Every structure is written in structure tokens, then in C-alpha cells.
Amino acid sequence: MLAPIIELEQLHFSWHDRQPVLDIPALTIAAGERVFIHGPSGCGKSSLLNIIGGINTPQQGNVRLLGQNINQQGSAWRDRFRADHIGLIFQQFNLLPYLGVTDNVLLPCRFSAPRHQRAISRYGSLERAASHLLSQLGIAKTLFNRPVTELSIGQQQRVAAARALIGSPELVIADEPTSALDSDSRNAFLQLLIDECDQAASTLLFVSHDNTLQHNFSRVICLSQLNQLKEAS
Amino acid sequence: MNTVAMLAWQSMKNRRLTAIMTILAIAVSVTLLLGVEKLRTGAKVSFSNTISGTDLIVGARSGSVQMLLYSVFRIGNATNNIGWQSYQDIAANPKVNWTIPISLGDSHRGYRVLGTNTDYFKHYKYGRNRQLQFSAGRQFNSLYDVVLGAEVAKKLGYQLQQSLVIGHGIGNTSFSKHQDQPFNVVGILKPTGTPLDRTLHVSLAAIEAIHTDWQSGAYIAGSGGDLPIEASQLQPTAITAVLVGLKSKMAIFGLQRSINNYRSEALQAILPGVALQELWAMISIAEKMLLVISSFVVATGLFGMLTVLLTSLNERRREMAILRAVGARPWQIFLLLMIETAGLTLAGILLAIVMLYGGLAITMPLIESQFGLFLELSWLSSYELRLLVVVFVGGALCGLVPGYRAYRNSVSDGMTVRV
């Protein structure tokens, strides 16, 4: 088995002083896994993603990413770690409206030197890296320099996927990226995303409440079962 | 840093309408600030340049500022005249180098008429000891000769040999005119940038001549006698003031004292420089008020920017969250807002400088003709530059507020947006 990319131990998390949200005894995700996380709303999905992304720190327990204990680091360190190692895709409105398609894709490379270098070492130049990923994800070359506001939602989500994948981060987190898409483009998007994660050797953490998608994944986690907290279910 | 500056630029370009309006608001307010400052210093320079080389101005006893205003700036009127004998005594004083008697009170189509003698053209100095020069013609020699200031000739379209009639009293629509005695233009002075340009110069005898048939302010033909005017004794009995130049500056205060103590008449001698200082002291409160008001206008402009940026922050939460998700640190979000405010302020200031000089270039002739104020198109003084630095720092500091809020938002929102 490959080295674990995410290890959670005895995780307890609550928002400020309010009621607890997460209680996860253990979760390990190995590098290269395609993980589907589902669960009803309110079961703590976004809290879990915020903890893995290093935005929030748990009150108790350990969060190890790539073997590093991120919850013992400062927020600046976690910011840098996230920029270098994690690509993110949200539900919708992923793109900065004032940048063109290519510039949106290249954003992570501007904030992270390692991803900048990896993109260049793999494709020769940033522009070629962006155009390769965009083409793979089915964005026509004529759209590369267009404002993102001219794209359809499906196209926007694929641009967001290209952005999450550029510079080959070890982990790609997708937070309900298909919820705004119709079922045809949903499956197409998912297939492209998984293919590209395979290409980049990135682990994929895919959060959705649409259970029809789960057959595409190597592992399915139901958060409400994983989470030991009774109030949250 | 480069990335953040690029993002700030692109983001502002995307919100260009509000950005432009914000820049305009700042620019207009800063233009006002600079304009007030330019007018203030311009007025001072213009005033200070009006008279030079004159050591004392002597007139009937009144306020020194008032005397300066009517004798030099043609503003207001003398409350009293001084007798011809007093003038003779002053002129005869051994310490006195030269004197210029002046007699005011009449006008021509709104321009003041000054009665004097030819010493005026010899000794009157303005600016940095510059003498009067003629652009055409010569000084007055005979009784009905008149020498025009540059603006009078230009505005009224007068040329040499033209004849004109002097009105009694001052004001554009004087009903009583000295119709019976038309004057002949013999000279036109070069522009000086002083009230002199708006003055008609005639001899003292001419002032006497046009008033011969006048009794108690009304014209009664023949009341001055039947003698032809040339032959009558046109010695003035009184004049308005005397400009005095001394042989030695050391004598100024001594002579001033002896004139102030002159026995047969209540006279007052003032030093033009000192009176100017008094004038500045009087209007310095108004000046300060102007500065305060324009500072408040600038503050309003900056507050406007602050409001716009704070309002936009809510709709930009997603933008901030996206930036955080792709790796921007909270301090970079803070920097983004700081760069925006500093950039908007700087753009406003630069536009203000353009607007100031553009506006000055357009309005200078207007200010010149309407107020007789001759502004110089000089580059910003160090004081004005310091004002601009204060505005810039103030504007940039404004960025702390939205910067801090965006920082807070981006720390608490993280990558997820709850809007």
C-alpha cells in the first residue's frame, strides 16, 4: 500500500464554543486513492474539508497530511502547505471574473513556487501547462483568452478543475463540483477529473451528496457513519 | 507582491466605473485643495509685486491697510485728502530722494483715473524693481493727455490719439461725466501684472481742470470762471497720497515719525511692506479657514473611497475566498486592499495635478481680467507637495480599514463562502 496522504486520529472539532461538529476516531487515505465522501447536509462535510485544508484546526486529535502534522503548525505555514500541496474545486463560481481563462488556471502557480516549478518541469512553460490541462478537460483553444464570464457553468467547472490540477498537487479536493451541472455533463466532468488526477498522480477527495456518482470511485466514505457524533446526524 | 499588484489592477479594472468615480471624487477634492493653495500664494505674490522701491506712503490719517489698499491697489477710497502744502513740505525734505503725488477719485468706464506727475513714470517700480515701460506712445505732456494701463487699452480697444471722457466718481455707470473736456490717448503702458494695468494716468493739472466747473459734486457750467482753462492756475489744492522714495533706507523711521507728527495736518506715513504684512495677518484667518474647508473636502473624498471599498468587500468575499483557495495568504488579501486604496489615491492625486494645471491654464485669463490676479504657472511648491504627501498617506491609511476587514473575513471564511 502506498504511503498515507491523509491521516486523522481522534479528531474532535467544534465551531468556537458551540456544539461539537466532528468526532472521527480514525481515517486514513492513501496516496492515489479516489475517495468519494457523502452524507446529508449538516454532517460536517465542509468542516472536515476546512480541517484538511488547514483553514480550521481541531480542538483535539491529529491531522497529518503527507506525513506532516499540520495542526501543530501556525496558520501561515498551513496556508503555504495548502497552496503547495492541495488543489481545490468548489460547487460553483470558482473563477475570478476579472481574469481570463488561462490566468485563472495559472493562479496557484503565482502563489506557490513548488507548483510553479512542477508545472514548468512537466510541460516546459506555464502557458503550455495550462493549455495542456485545458485541452485535456475539453476547453477549446479559442476560449483560452476569453473572460471566464463568457463560459457556461460546465466549462467554468472544467477550468476550475484545470486550476486545481496545475502544478500537480498531491491532493485534489472537490467540494460538490457537479451540483450545478446536468447529469450528462456531470458524468463527463467526473470522468475528465479522474483521468487528470491519474495523469498528475494526485489523490482525489470528492465530496457530494449525489450517490449515483460513487461507482466511479475506489473508496466511498459515508461521513455520517464515520462521524461518531450523535447530534450531527 | 507582483501577483497581488496585478490582481489589484485587474480587479479594479473589472470595477472600473466605481474606481473611476472614486478617483474623480478624490481628484476634484485635491484639485480644490491645490487650487485654493495656488490662489492664496498667487494672490500674495501678486500683491507683493505691485509696489517696490517705495519707502513710505503718505496720506491722510487712517488705517495703514486702508491706505495701502486705496493708494496702491485701487481698492476702496481715501477718507480724506492731504493738502498741497503738506506735499510740498515732504518733497522738500532733504532726506527725500523722490516723490510721486497721486490723486484718485475719478474713473473711466469702471477703470480708475490716477492724477500724478511725470515722476510717476520715472520712479514707480513694481515686481523686482522694474520700471514702467511704454508699449506705445509716451508719457503725458499737455493738459488733456492720458496714458493708459495695458488692460484698459486692450479691453476697451483704445489706441493712440483716441479721445475719451472721464466720469466723475468711480463706478462703471457714472451718470455725471466730464463731457466738456475730452482726453487724448498719448501713451499705453506695457503689462505689469498689477492694478496699474487697470488705471488711466493723467496729470494733476488735468484732475484740477476737469473739476473747475464743479461745485459740491455737481457740474455747473461756467461756475469755475470764464477764463480759458489752459490759462487758469491749475495748482491742485489737495491730493490723495504721496509715494516717497528716500535717499537712505536708514532715514525711513525718522521721517515716518516726523510725518506722523506733522503739525498743520493729520498725516500718516506707512511702510508698504509692513502694511502688507498687516494685510496678510488680517486675511490669514480667512486663509486658514479656506485650507480647513478644502481639507475637509479632501477628507470627504477619501471617506467616499472608504465607503465604496467597504461596500464592495461583501460582494468580493467570494473573490477573496477563491484567492485564499489558490494559495493567497491573509496578509496578501490585506495587501491587495492596501494597494487598491493607495492606487486610487495616487491616481486621484495625479489627476488632480492635471486638472489643476488644466484649470489654471483655462481660468488664468479669466482670473486675471476679473480679479486682476496674476497667477504664475509654477510647479508645485514644496508645501503643496507636502500637502499631497499627507493626502496620499491619509488615503493609503484608509486602506487599513477595508484591508483589516478583508483580512478578518478571509481568515474566518477560509475557502468556503457563506454569502
Side-chain angles (χ1 to χ4, degrees):
Chain A
M1 185 168 152
L2 286 160
I5 192 159
I6 301 172
E7 296 165 275
L8 306 181
E9 284 172 12
Q10 300 301 328
L11 187 81
H12 288 269
F13 177 73
S14 55
W15 286 108
H16 307 294
D17 299 330
R18 278 174 282 153
Q19 63 175 55
V21 188
L22 287 176
D23 176 4
I24 300 174
L27 173 67
T28 304
I29 292 167
E33 277 196 276
R34 310 275 163 263
V35 182
F36 183 82
I37 298 179
H38 68 97
S41 54
C43 73
K45 280 180 298 195
S46 52
S47 301
L48 181 64
L49 292 188
N50 272 329
I51 288 168
I52 293 171
I55 295 290
N56 299 119
T57 46
Q59 278 76 13
Q60 281 178 44
N62 283 325
V63 182
R64 266 197 302 279
L65 259 59
L66 298 161
Q68 307 214 47
N69 213 333
I70 69 161
N71 58 323
Q72 282 169 8
Q73 303 285 346
S75 65
W77 187 94
R78 280 184 273 126
D79 281 335
R80 172 142 348 118
F81 187 87
R82 175 174 66 250
D84 291 347
H85 301 291
I86 302 175
L88 286 149
I89 311 167
F90 300 124
Q91 224 167 330
Q92 53 176 332
F93 308 122
N94 272 285
L95 308 176
L96 289 181
Y98 50 81
L99 292 182
V101 170
T102 304
D103 281 333
N104 259 293
V105 172
L106 291 178
L107 270 177
C109 299
R110 299 196 189 280
F111 287 101
S112 164
R115 285 176 74 174
H116 187 273
Q117 276 159 11
R118 264 178 275 164
I120 287 183
S121 65
R122 215 172 139 185
Y123 296 103
S125 77
L126 287 180
E127 281 65 32
R128 237 180 295 155
S131 93
H132 173 83
L133 279 168
L134 286 168
S135 306
Q136 288 293 307
L137 286 159
I139 301 290
K141 273 205 157 55
T142 49
L143 295 174
F144 284 6
N145 291 313
R146 286 289 176 77
V148 293
T149 43
E150 288 180 12
L151 305 185
S152 71
I153 293 173
Q155 286 170 325
Q156 288 187 22
Q157 290 303 81
R158 279 180 276 152
V159 173
R163 189 178 65 193
L165 285 157
I166 198 160
S168 317
E170 285 84 348
L171 178 62
V172 171
I173 297 176
D175 185 1
E176 310 210 24
T178 54
S179 63
L181 305 180
D182 58 56
S183 62
D184 283 350
S185 40
R186 195 173 298 171
N187 284 317
F189 174 81
L190 194 57
Q191 209 46 59
L192 288 169
L193 180 64
I194 289 174
D195 287 352
E196 279 312 299
C197 283
D198 287 342
Q199 289 274 316
S202 302
T203 308
L204 175 62
L205 208 61
F206 192 98
V207 177
S208 176
H209 53 250
D210 181 1
N211 288 330
T212 61
L213 297 172
Q214 66 186 44
H215 61 89
N216 293 293
F217 292 85
S218 62
R219 183 172 169 192
V220 176
I221 295 173
C222 177
L223 189 57
S224 50
Q225 281 170 16
L226 184 69
N227 194 353
Q228 300 298 300
L229 216 73
K230 290 180 184 71
E231 292 94 323
S233 56
Chain B
M1 178 76 197
N2 274 340
T3 302
V4 177
M6 182 275 283
L7 289 171
W9 167 245
Q10 296 289 350
S11 177
M12 273 200 290
K13 239 172 57 181
N14 192 47
R15 290 170 286 124
R16 65 180 82 76
L17 185 66
T18 49
I20 288 170
M21 293 317 286
T22 308
I23 290 171
L24 269 180
I26 294 172
V28 168
S29 65
V30 174
T31 307
L32 182 74
L33 180 75
L34 289 178
V36 164
E37 193 51 34
K38 276 264 175 259
L39 271 179
R40 197 174 70 86
T41 49
K44 261 192 183 175
V45 170
S46 183
F47 265 61
S48 309
N49 276 344
T50 300
I51 189 164
S52 77
T54 297
D55 296 312
L56 288 172
I57 301 172
V58 183
R61 198 166 289 169
S62 65
S64 54
V65 171
Q66 188 199 3
M67 197 192 290
L68 181 79
L69 287 178
Y70 72 67
S71 64
V72 177
F73 298 108
R74 320 273 186 268
I75 297 170
N77 290 304
T79 42
N80 219 335
N81 285 339
I82 60 176
W84 184 248
Q85 187 54 47
S86 309
Y87 162 64
Q88 299 283 27
D89 286 350
I90 293 164
N93 190 302
K95 291 170 187 161
V96 170
N97 186 17
W98 51 263
T99 56
I100 299 171
I102 57 177
S103 185
L104 293 156
D106 289 307
S107 68
H108 173 73
R109 294 176 66 177
Y111 293 102
R112 301 271 182 122
V113 173
L114 177 96
T116 182
N117 62 22
T118 51
D119 286 343
Y120 185 84
F121 303 103
K122 212 189 293 171
H123 296 301
Y124 190 89
K125 300 239 172 66
Y126 68 96
R128 289 193 179 158
N129 267 323
R130 291 167 69 181
Q131 224 168 349
L132 298 181
Q133 286 181 311
F134 286 89
S135 64
R138 51 168 176 83
Q139 64 186 41
F140 48 73
N141 283 332
S142 66
L143 190 55
Y144 293 118
D145 287 352
V146 58
V147 172
L148 305 181
E151 193 193 315
V152 180
K154 197 175 143 200
K155 281 284 150 65
L156 302 180
Y158 287 164
Q159 299 186 341
L160 294 181
Q161 303 312 321
Q162 188 141 7
S163 84
L164 54 92
V165 170
I166 288 171
H168 188 67
I170 48 180
N172 198 8
T173 51
S174 183
F175 290 114
S176 44
K177 295 202 167 95
H178 302 286
Q179 301 279 13
D180 53 336
Q181 296 168 38
F183 279 77
N184 184 27
V185 178
V186 297
I188 295 167
L189 293 170
K190 279 190 179 165
T192 61
T194 73
L196 220 130
D197 295 350
R198 277 166 285 130
T199 307
L200 296 87
H201 308 83
V202 299
S203 64
L204 285 172
I207 296 282
E208 284 307 305
I210 57 179
H211 290 104
T212 28
D213 281 347
W214 287 62
Q215 302 288 334
S216 314
Y219 178 67
I220 301 158
S223 63
D226 298 330
L227 280 171
I229 278 179
E230 267 80 7
S232 69
Q233 188 69 345
L234 287 174
Q235 188 72 270
T237 53
I239 56 174
T240 312
V242 191
L243 309 183
V244 181
L246 299 185
K247 285 172 185 153
S248 155
K249 304 274 177 206
M250 309 289 282
I252 291 177
F253 293 103
L255 187 66
Q256 185 190 24
R257 204 173 316 120
S258 73
I259 290 173
N260 286 346
N261 294 330
Y262 188 71
R263 289 204 170 257
S264 42
E265 198 173 5
L267 295 183
Q268 186 179 18
I270 61 163
L271 283 77
V274 174
L276 262 179
Q277 286 308 318
E278 281 179 44
L279 185 64
W280 298 147
M282 266 171 60
I283 58 179
S284 72
I285 293 176
E287 280 181 359
K288 284 194 187 110
M289 283 315 295
L290 272 178
L291 191 66
V292 168
I293 291 168
S294 41
S295 311
F296 271 108
V297 175
V298 171
T300 312
L302 294 182
F303 275 124
M305 170 175 73
L306 202 53
T307 313
V308 167
L309 285 176
L310 282 175
T311 319
S312 72
L313 274 191
N314 243 348
E315 44 194 86
R316 292 175 68 194
R317 273 176 108 136
R318 180 166 296 280
E319 176 188 338
M320 306 298 173
I322 293 168
L323 287 173
R324 290 276 284 145
V326 297
R329 329 272 192 267
W331 67 265
Q332 286 173 315
I333 303 284
F334 177 79
L335 190 65
L336 182 78
L337 269 295
M338 287 299 279
I339 290 175
E340 276 189 28
T341 43
L344 288 172
T345 314
L346 188 65
I349 288 174
L350 293 179
L351 182 61
I353 295 173
V354 173
M355 281 164 72
L356 174 77
Y357 284 103
L360 278 182
I362 293 166
T363 55
M364 253 186 356
L366 207 72
I367 295 173
E368 212 172 288
S369 63
Q370 292 298 307
F371 305 105
L373 208 60
F374 293 82
L375 299 178
E376 278 179 64
L377 262 189
S378 55
W379 179 233
L380 296 168
S381 68
S382 65
Y383 177 69
E384 286 155 348
L385 285 175
R386 255 180 293 151
L387 278 181
L388 292 184
V389 169
V390 169
V391 172
F392 177 70
V393 171
L397 286 181
C398 278
L400 289 174
V401 182
Y404 178 68
R405 289 210 48 166
Y407 177 92
R408 284 266 312 275
N409 284 350
S410 68
V411 167
S412 66
D413 286 359
M415 308 165 299
T416 49
V417 191
R418 289 168 230 115
V419 184

